[in-house]
Amino acid sequence: MSTQIKLAVVYYSSTGVVAEMAREIAEAAEKTGAEVRLLRAAELAPQAAIESNPAWAANVAATADIPVATPPDIEWADAVIFGSPTRFGNIASQLKQFIDTLGGLWAQGKLADKVYSGFTASSTTHGGQESTLLALYNSVHHFGGILVSPGYTDPAKFADGNPYGTSHVDAQGNNPVGDTTRTAARIQAERVVKIASGLKAGLAAA
């Protein structure tokens, strides 16, 4: 059994903030030696809604080459990091719809014993970031997954302050993803790969 970690970074992003965070996480994980698939949840919004927001339309065009996530991607992975903007304190419907397609894998026990983690973004400081990640993690418990949050396992985590996962406040597009968020993303990616590697090595030796 190869001990190289296979990581799926599965995200939904409308205006591009979460997409940028996803790329940061994927790149950090690749630097640790993981094999990474960067994947996006399929868009569900009508084209008219997308075109009504220039940032949304621009992000759809900019990420068109990123593959759409499928259940086989999750079956392939040893670890999965989900990303979503907060929507009324919950994950976006696009990511939830993808998670809902995993019922077949769940019924076969193929979602269990993988490492899972999550990241998010909101427009305002108290816009539901923590509740979004906690809502996401409800699904992980149903999977029988192994939840790996960043916690405060690195001093830099006290700068971004979210132990549940990387999060960013974009202030209605006025606060681009900066060093604090990128550092948090790196810490989270490295921790997920580290814990998943330990678990996989243990299983290989068993």
Side-chain angles (χ1 to χ4, degrees):
M1 178 189 295
S2 171
T3 57
Q4 183 185 30
I5 291 303
K6 295 178 288 186
L7 172 66
V9 180
V10 181
Y11 76 92
Y12 172 73
S13 183
S14 53
T15 59
V17 174
V18 174
E20 188 168 353
M21 296 167 71
R23 285 191 292 271
E24 193 73 28
I25 286 172
E27 290 172 5
E30 285 180 337
K31 288 178 181 177
T32 71
E35 180 183 355
V36 179
R37 291 184 184 179
L38 178 61
L39 307 158
R40 59 185 174 88
E43 182 59 81
L44 302 177
Q47 190 63 31
I50 296 169
E51 292 175 354
S52 71
N53 184 329
W56 195 352
N59 179 60
V60 168
T63 59
D65 61 329
I66 294 176
V68 172
T70 65
D73 291 312
I74 306 304
E75 184 175 3
W76 165 85
D78 301 305
V80 183
I81 304 180
F82 288 115
S84 172
T86 183
R87 293 288 186 265
F88 304 115
N90 210 324
I91 62 174
S93 59
Q94 289 86 345
L95 182 62
K96 181 60 166 62
Q97 194 273 343
F98 172 70
I99 290 173
D100 286 347
T101 69
L102 302 178
L105 293 179
W106 169 82
Q108 299 173 66
K110 292 183 177 180
L111 299 180
D113 303 330
K114 298 177 185 289
V115 166
Y116 296 89
S117 199
F119 61 100
T120 190
S122 63
S123 292
T124 58
T125 302
H126 299 288
Q129 294 180 347
E130 292 179 358
S131 64
T132 295
L133 292 174
L134 290 171
L136 169 65
Y137 295 160
N138 285 334
S139 296
V140 174
H141 297 308
H142 282 259
F143 294 167
I146 299 163
L147 180 60
V148 175
S149 59
Y152 295 105
T153 55
D154 187 290
K157 281 298 296 175
F158 289 96
D160 84 291
N162 191 339
Y164 301 96
T166 303
S167 60
H168 181 75
V169 178
D170 87 327
Q172 291 80 39
N174 295 311
N175 184 30
V177 176
D179 289 343
T180 298
T181 301
R182 294 183 191 281
T183 297
R186 175 184 55 78
I187 291 167
Q188 185 171 11
E190 291 174 353
R191 179 167 166 77
V192 165
V193 173
K194 175 184 176 182
I195 300 302
S197 296
L199 289 169
K200 191 169 185 177
L203 289 172

